[in-house]
Amino acid sequence: MKALMTYVSCYYHAFSGAQKAETAANRICKVLAVNQENEQLMEDYERLASDLLEWIRRTIPWLENRAPENTMQAMQQKLEDFRDYRRLHKPPKVQEKCQLEINFNTLQTKLRLSNRPAFMPSEGKMVSDINNAWGGLEQAEKGYEEWLLNEIRRLERLDHLAEKFRQKASIHESWTDGKESMLQKRDYETASLSEIKALLKKHEAFESDLAAHQDRVEQIAAIAQELNELDYYDSPSVNARCQKICDQWDNLGVLTQKRREALEKTEKLLETIDQLYLEYAKRAAPFNNWMEGAMEDLQDTFIVHTIEEIQGLSMAHEQFKATLPEADKERQAILGIHNEVMKIAQTYHVNMSGTNPYSTISTQEINSKWDRVRQLVPKRDQALMEEHARQQQNERLRKQFAAQANVIGPWIQTKMQEIGRIAIEMHGTLEDQINHLRQYEKNIVNYKPKIDQLESDHQQIQEALIFDNKHTNYTMEHIRVGWEQLLTTIARTINEVENQILTRDAKGISQEQMNEFRNSFNHFDREHSGTLGPEEFKACLISLGYDIGNDPQKKTGMLDSDDFRACLISMGYNMGEAEFARIMGIVDPNRLGVVTFQAFIDFMSRETADTDTADQVMASFKVLAGDKNYITADELRRELPPDQAEYCIARMAPYIGHDAVPGALDYMSFSTALYGESDL
């Protein structure tokens, strides 16, 4: 144990010296280690400070670079780089700066704890220097960011303005496209007045449109000015385009004014021409109508019948010729208007493509018709002279005809009156009247050559187409009618006297009775017409002793059917309406309302003589028929002469009574028909 302790003691003493050396060595090592560590920290500080300051030195110029970019894309790239800087590059440097400050503080603490002097970085690398440099960096960074945003806003504004400029410029250029050529068109040179007015209206509308586009041009110029003020990178092209637009705009204004002046000048010229056209039409139309009327009148185939009419036409023609000088002046004036139009057109180079809108009458037509009128005037003179000579010949024919007609006409009238007096007056016997009338007839026939001569003259008048004659009231037709009436009257009068002789002889009327009948008839024939009206016939019967029952309350001046019936009853006739109608049919068979002398004699002879009647004839046929109501053809042929038998057979109607036999004939209706009492 003692040995061990000794051993340990030996070791203790041996190792005690070594421990002191070790302690000394450890202290030295520790000090050295601290110094080394401090030195390392100092070196690291210097190095980090130098790197950080170098980074700040390099970064601040980048941040202070304010060179603008031309495009938004480039500026956006700068903004993106700045964002990368803030996001990627600066945060590590912030960390380094923080670590540098920590290391500096730690180093200073260690140096103070190890009784070392404080660390003094090399000049310009103090923490304060670094902070100052960092402050400068942040200041530059802040200014750079503001500059970037302002530049981006500026470029954005520039892009907007540039796009706006391009849009407005494109719209304006599209609107102006073709406008210069349109304004330079000379379409007004061939336009009519109405077309010119339409072109002016169109031009006024264009001017309004042009004025409306003035604002756009001003806006384009203002935008270009603003782009220049904002230093737009493509300002030269903008300025060139703007200048082109402004120059074109000025040119459009000049062309617009020139076109307006040209249109207004053309309108004024065309209005002048239009007024001349209108005046031409107003004067040419009536003058043309006058010439057409004159040509129509000069060529008119006039028809005249007297010398006065042709003289009137000649006078009118002379008056017409007196108007020709004035008409020629009017023609010259009308042609002068046309020449004025042509002069204006030639002087001002107006293209007269159209014709006068107010008239279709050309100057050639006016001159042609005027020449025609001048040609027709002498022809009309000749025609009037020839017609005047013809009318003189016609006048000679009229007088020649009138000289004869004025003798023949009265001669015929005189003979008619003389024949009428012979027929009415009772001078001598009826045979004396016949002889006298036949002598008149012979004289009338001997007068025929004068009628023929007059017919010959009339033939010449007809061939000359003469339709009236102021020298006589007699026409050939009047003479013919008078001559025919004269021949008819003499023949009828002779026939009436002959019939009176037959009646007188057949009825046994004495000459005294005949004279009495004639005197009574003539007395009441107040108009000497050879007939009696109803009232005159009534008075005549009364004068002959017939009491026809005058009614004092019925004095109408007319012998109507009731008066005549009463007259007949007073004479012994007792009749009904049918018998009265039969008597009236005998007196006035044609119902003319008059009674002739022959009918009067027939009626009076029936009343004064014993004459056959229808009843007596029927009684005679009944004897021949053997008291039968009918008769046969054999009985007629046996009892009557052949011609009278055949006459009766041909006119008798078949008998249709109940006792009829084949071939029976009705003698009763036949007898009645013989006296006009039924249809035969």
Side-chain angles (χ1 to χ4, degrees):
M1 184 66 171
K2 190 178 177 179
L4 182 56
M5 290 182 65
T6 302
Y7 181 74
V8 170
S9 178
C10 290
Y11 268 98
Y12 175 76
H13 287 287
F15 281 104
S16 175
Q19 186 176 7
K20 290 180 180 181
E22 184 178 1
T23 301
N26 287 336
R27 181 177 292 115
I28 292 171
C29 287
K30 183 178 179 180
V31 169
L32 291 175
V34 169
N35 284 338
Q36 287 176 340
E37 183 180 1
N38 290 337
E39 288 177 358
Q40 184 64 42
L41 288 173
M42 291 178 187
E43 290 177 1
D44 290 342
Y45 177 84
E46 288 287 338
R47 180 179 55 78
L48 288 174
S50 296
D51 291 343
L52 183 59
L53 287 172
E54 178 62 21
W55 179 82
I56 291 173
R57 183 188 65 77
R58 287 186 286 106
T59 302
I60 286 176
W62 176 69
L63 293 174
E64 290 179 343
N65 183 15
R66 299 292 191 270
E69 297 294 338
N70 294 330
T71 64
M72 177 67 75
Q73 183 178 3
M75 288 305 299
Q76 287 177 342
Q77 183 61 46
K78 279 192 173 185
L79 180 61
E80 187 65 28
D81 293 343
F82 179 71
R83 288 173 178 171
D84 289 342
Y85 157 77
R86 296 285 295 270
R87 184 175 63 252
L88 300 176
H89 302 293
K90 184 179 179 182
K93 299 302 179 182
V94 171
Q95 186 66 31
E96 287 180 8
K97 175 178 177 296
C98 181
Q99 187 63 42
L100 187 65
E101 291 177 352
I102 292 172
N103 291 342
F104 181 79
N105 292 332
T106 301
L107 178 59
Q108 295 292 70
T109 300
K110 286 181 177 183
L111 290 173
R112 188 173 60 252
L113 293 175
S114 63
N115 295 317
R116 299 290 193 278
F119 173 65
M120 291 296 293
S122 57
E123 186 178 359
K125 296 182 180 178
M126 294 291 291
V127 172
S128 59
D129 295 331
I130 293 173
N131 287 335
N132 291 334
W134 188 264
L137 175 68
E138 288 187 340
Q139 186 66 33
E141 179 183 325
K142 181 180 179 182
Y144 187 68
E145 184 177 17
E146 291 177 355
W147 176 79
L148 280 176
L149 293 176
N150 289 334
E151 276 297 304
I152 288 173
R153 282 193 291 270
R154 183 182 72 83
L155 288 177
E156 186 177 27
R157 171 67 177 166
L158 284 174
D159 285 349
H160 172 72
L161 288 174
E163 181 61 25
K164 188 175 181 180
F165 175 84
R166 285 190 293 272
Q167 288 181 355
K168 287 184 175 293
S170 297
I171 292 173
H172 177 78
E173 289 166 349
S174 175
W175 179 83
T176 58
D177 184 36
K179 294 295 188 295
E180 289 177 310
S181 60
M182 183 270 290
L183 291 171
Q184 291 173 337
K185 287 172 64 177
R186 304 179 72 85
D187 50 351
Y188 52 82
E189 292 182 348
T190 58
S192 64
L193 179 59
S194 59
E195 291 170 341
I196 282 292
K197 290 185 179 297
L199 288 175
L200 269 171
K201 292 292 184 183
K202 184 178 178 181
H203 190 70
E204 289 173 0
F206 172 76
E207 287 178 328
S208 298
D209 197 14
L210 187 70
H213 280 76
Q214 177 69 33
D215 291 342
R216 180 179 288 123
V217 175
E218 292 175 356
Q219 290 173 6
I220 290 172
I223 293 172
Q225 179 66 27
E226 189 173 357
L227 287 172
N228 282 302
E229 292 173 355
L230 294 175
D231 295 328
Y232 182 56
Y233 77 96
D234 200 19
S235 292
S237 64
V238 169
N239 292 336
R241 192 173 184 181
C242 180
Q243 187 63 42
K244 181 180 179 181
I245 289 173
C246 291
D247 292 343
Q248 186 186 38
W249 183 255
D250 293 339
N251 190 41
L252 283 177
V254 172
L255 293 175
T256 299
Q257 183 62 28
K258 287 183 177 179
R259 182 169 176 82
R260 165 167 281 282
E261 292 173 355
L263 288 173
E264 289 177 345
K265 178 182 177 182
T266 305
E267 181 189 29
K268 185 176 180 180
L269 290 174
L270 290 180
E271 282 180 345
T272 302
I273 293 174
D274 187 72
Q275 289 296 324
L276 291 172
Y277 272 154
L278 183 59
E279 184 180 357
Y280 176 92
K282 287 180 178 179
R283 299 179 70 169
F287 185 72
N288 182 66
N289 291 337
W290 177 85
M291 287 193 297
E292 289 180 348
M295 288 190 293
E296 183 178 351
D297 292 340
L298 290 170
Q299 297 178 93
D300 186 23
T301 54
F302 51 82
I303 299 176
V304 295
H305 302 100
T306 65
I307 193 72
E308 290 80 6
E309 290 179 356
I310 192 62
Q311 288 174 346
L313 287 176
S314 298
M315 184 179 298
H317 183 63
E318 291 301 322
Q319 292 174 351
F320 167 75
K321 289 196 294 184
T323 64
L324 289 178
E326 285 298 323
D328 191 38
K329 289 181 181 179
E330 179 64 13
R331 181 182 69 90
Q332 294 293 342
I334 293 171
L335 296 179
I337 295 172
H338 176 77
N339 294 335
E340 181 67 19
V341 172
M342 294 298 102
K343 181 179 178 181
I344 292 174
Q346 293 173 1
T347 302
Y348 298 99
H349 306 290
V350 178
N351 190 348
M352 302 299 294
S353 59
T355 58
N356 190 331
Y358 305 109
S359 177
T360 58
I361 305 168
S362 65
T363 55
Q364 293 81 2
E365 183 178 357
I366 290 175
N367 286 329
S368 175
K369 290 181 178 179
W370 176 254
D371 293 339
R372 180 60 178 160
V373 169
R374 297 299 298 270
Q375 293 170 4
L376 290 174
V377 168
K379 293 182 179 180
R380 184 70 168 186
D381 289 334
Q382 182 64 29
L384 289 172
M385 290 174 61
E386 292 174 356
E387 182 62 25
H388 190 272
R390 192 177 73 85
Q391 287 301 324
Q392 286 179 331
Q393 175 62 18
N394 289 350
E395 186 68 11
R396 185 188 63 79
L397 292 174
R398 288 190 186 94
K399 291 180 179 180
Q400 180 178 322
F401 176 85
Q404 299 181 70
N406 288 337
V407 173
I408 294 174
W411 182 86
I412 291 175
Q413 292 175 355
T414 301
K415 293 302 178 184
M416 289 285 289
Q417 294 171 0
E418 291 176 354
I419 293 170
R421 284 197 299 271
I422 293 172
I424 294 173
E425 295 175 356
M426 296 299 297
H427 296 296
T429 63
L430 293 177
E431 286 76 5
D432 294 336
Q433 292 183 31
I434 283 289
N435 293 332
H436 198 184
L437 289 171
R438 291 195 187 282
Q439 184 61 40
Y440 261 86
E441 185 178 24
K442 183 179 180 181
N443 294 336
I444 291 170
V445 172
N446 292 335
Y447 203 79
K448 184 66 164 59
K450 294 185 178 181
I451 301 297
D452 294 338
Q453 179 61 44
L454 191 63
E455 283 283 5
S456 176
D457 294 342
H458 178 67
Q459 180 66 26
Q460 295 182 44
I461 286 177
Q462 284 188 319
E463 291 173 355
L465 300 178
I466 300 172
F467 301 105
D468 57 356
N469 192 339
K470 66 178 181 178
H471 304 293
T472 181
N473 292 326
Y474 295 101
T475 65
M476 195 63 225
E477 186 64 27
H478 292 155
I479 298 297
R480 288 196 195 103
V481 171
W483 177 255
E484 290 171 359
Q485 286 180 348
L486 180 60
L487 295 177
T488 302
T489 300
I490 190 64
R492 185 177 65 248
T493 304
I494 292 173
N495 179 257
E496 288 178 355
V497 175
E498 289 175 343
N499 287 335
Q500 292 173 23
I501 293 173
L502 290 175
T503 302
R504 180 197 66 187
D505 295 342
K507 302 298 182 178
I509 301 174
S510 65
Q511 185 64 40
E512 289 76 12
Q513 287 178 314
M514 186 63 72
N515 291 339
E516 183 182 1
F517 292 156
R518 169 55 74 180
N519 289 332
S520 297
F521 189 90
N522 290 344
H523 176 75
F524 290 99
D525 182 13
R526 296 182 177 88
E527 296 180 358
H528 305 291
S529 62
T531 60
L532 295 179
E535 183 180 0
E536 295 170 337
F537 183 59
K538 170 184 173 184
C540 182
L541 290 176
I542 293 173
S543 70
L544 292 173
Y546 287 89
D547 185 5
I548 58 175
N550 286 321
D551 186 352
Q553 295 181 352
K554 290 181 63 179
K555 295 182 179 179
T556 62
M558 297 290 290
L559 185 61
D560 58 17
S561 60
D562 291 337
D563 292 337
F564 186 62
R565 179 184 179 193
C567 176
L568 293 176
I569 292 173
S570 68
M571 294 172 62
Y573 286 90
N574 186 9
M575 66 198 80
E577 294 293 335
E579 182 64 15
F580 175 69
R582 185 185 70 80
I583 296 299
M584 288 301 297
I586 293 172
V587 176
D588 184 15
N590 295 323
R591 300 185 182 277
L592 299 176
V594 294
V595 180
T596 65
F597 182 66
Q598 185 63 42
F600 177 71
I601 293 175
D602 290 342
F603 175 75
M604 296 306 298
S605 64
R606 289 188 182 187
E607 301 303 316
T608 58
D610 182 16
T611 59
D612 295 329
T613 64
D615 292 338
Q616 291 173 342
V617 174
M618 280 190 286
S620 298
F621 274 115
K622 193 168 188 177
V623 171
L624 296 179
D627 205 27
K628 298 191 297 294
N629 291 328
Y630 60 87
I631 192 169
T632 64
D634 291 339
E635 290 172 339
L636 288 171
R637 291 190 181 100
R638 184 177 63 245
E639 300 295 340
L640 296 177
D643 55 339
Q644 294 181 350
E646 294 303 325
Y647 177 85
C648 293
I649 292 170
R651 286 164 176 75
M652 282 186 183
Y655 179 71
I656 57 175
H658 63 87
D659 54 345
V661 298
L665 299 174
D666 186 358
Y667 61 81
M668 294 183 182
S669 62
F670 176 76
S671 299
T672 304
L674 286 176
Y675 290 89
E677 298 176 5
S678 64
D679 295 333
L680 184 60

